[in-house]
């Protein structure tokens, strides 16, 4: 699998499947072929518009996760990361809360979760964004995850 393959102008396959945990623990995180178009959609519909809006290069924290990797990091068994439908992002110098709000107001999504953000700490936490394969299935659910609890809406 060519990790340098571009899925969109600014993002490569390698960036959507890389994982420090997988590398450190020798866990295979190679997606099956049917995952690739879904990762491409995340690049085209989420990552590229975010990059264009903020004008800052960034690499996603986490995209695809194999079941083994997801289990290792304690992810939800139903994680959309395992389906290639979710990506976690943060951008240096950009408020994670503002990033989540911008995505909610400007992009299509299934679930948008502001995770582990601490008010006033610009770069704390990250934003989890997912997309269903069929646009009509996107539920547009925005939530905040803080202190191990999910709250409706984006709350700083
Ligand atoms: Zn996530």
């Amino acid at each position: 699998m060519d990790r340098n393959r571009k899925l969109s102008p600014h993002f490569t396959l390698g960036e959507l499947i890389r994982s420090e945990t997988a590398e450190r623990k020798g866990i295979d995180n190679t997606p099956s072929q049917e995952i690739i178009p879904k990762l491409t959609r995340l690049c085209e519909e989420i990552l590229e518009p975010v990059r264009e809006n903020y004008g800052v290069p960034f690499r996603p924290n986490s995209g695809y996760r194999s079941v083994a990797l997801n289990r290792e990091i304690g992810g939800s068994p139903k994680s959309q990361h395992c389906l290639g439908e979710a990506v976690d992002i943060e951008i240096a110098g950009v408020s994670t809360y503002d990033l989540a709000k911008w995505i909610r107001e400007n992009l299509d999504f299934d679930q948008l979760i502001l995770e582990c953000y601490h008010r006033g700490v610009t770069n704390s936490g990250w934003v989890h964004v997912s997309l269903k394969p069929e646009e009509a299935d996107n539920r547009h659910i925005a939530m905040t995850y803080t202190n191990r609890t999910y709250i409706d809406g984006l709350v700083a």
Side-chain angles (χ1 to χ4, degrees):
M1 191 162 273
D2 179 9
R3 300 174 71 92
N4 295 320
R5 171 177 159 193
K6 283 197 166 173
L7 299 183
S8 69
H10 298 99
F11 296 93
T12 63
L13 174 59
E15 290 175 308
L16 272 291
I17 65 175
R18 83 190 171 87
S19 158
E20 280 175 28
T21 304
E23 281 162 32
R24 200 172 61 240
K25 305 238 170 184
I27 296 169
D28 183 15
N29 199 43
T30 308
S32 57
Q33 281 302 327
E34 58 271 23
I35 297 286
I36 310 291
K38 298 205 260 182
L39 295 176
T40 302
R41 279 192 65 218
L42 288 172
C43 291
E44 290 174 344
E45 297 186 26
I46 306 289
L47 301 181
E48 291 289 352
V50 165
R51 192 186 189 284
E52 164 135 10
N53 180 61
Y54 290 99
V56 183
F58 68 94
R59 297 200 307 175
N61 296 6
S62 180
Y64 172 73
R65 293 176 198 157
S66 65
V67 170
L69 172 60
N70 192 58
R71 194 183 300 130
E72 178 66 33
I73 63 170
S76 156
K78 290 184 187 166
S79 173
Q80 286 181 285
H81 286 282
C82 297
L83 303 171
E85 295 175 1
V87 68
D88 293 340
I89 49 181
E90 60 182 296
I91 303 176
V94 172
S95 156
T96 310
Y97 178 60
D98 289 347
L99 173 61
K101 277 197 302 185
W102 187 84
I103 292 171
R104 183 181 61 187
E105 281 153 28
N106 293 281
L107 304 181
D108 192 21
F109 59 87
D110 179 46
Q111 278 197 320
L112 171 68
I113 312 176
L114 174 63
E115 303 208 44
C116 304
Y117 175 72
H118 297 286
R119 185 171 30 186
V121 185
T122 296
N123 263 120
S124 58
W126 62 91
V127 180
H128 167 104
V129 199
S130 68
L131 277 177
K132 293 279 200 188
E134 299 294 331
E135 213 171 280
D137 293 333
N138 284 327
R139 296 168 292 171
H140 307 112
I141 297 170
M143 291 186 294
T144 300
Y145 180 74
T146 185
N147 297 322
R148 300 183 185 182
T149 308
Y150 287 95
I151 306 167
D152 283 342
L154 301 178
V155 181

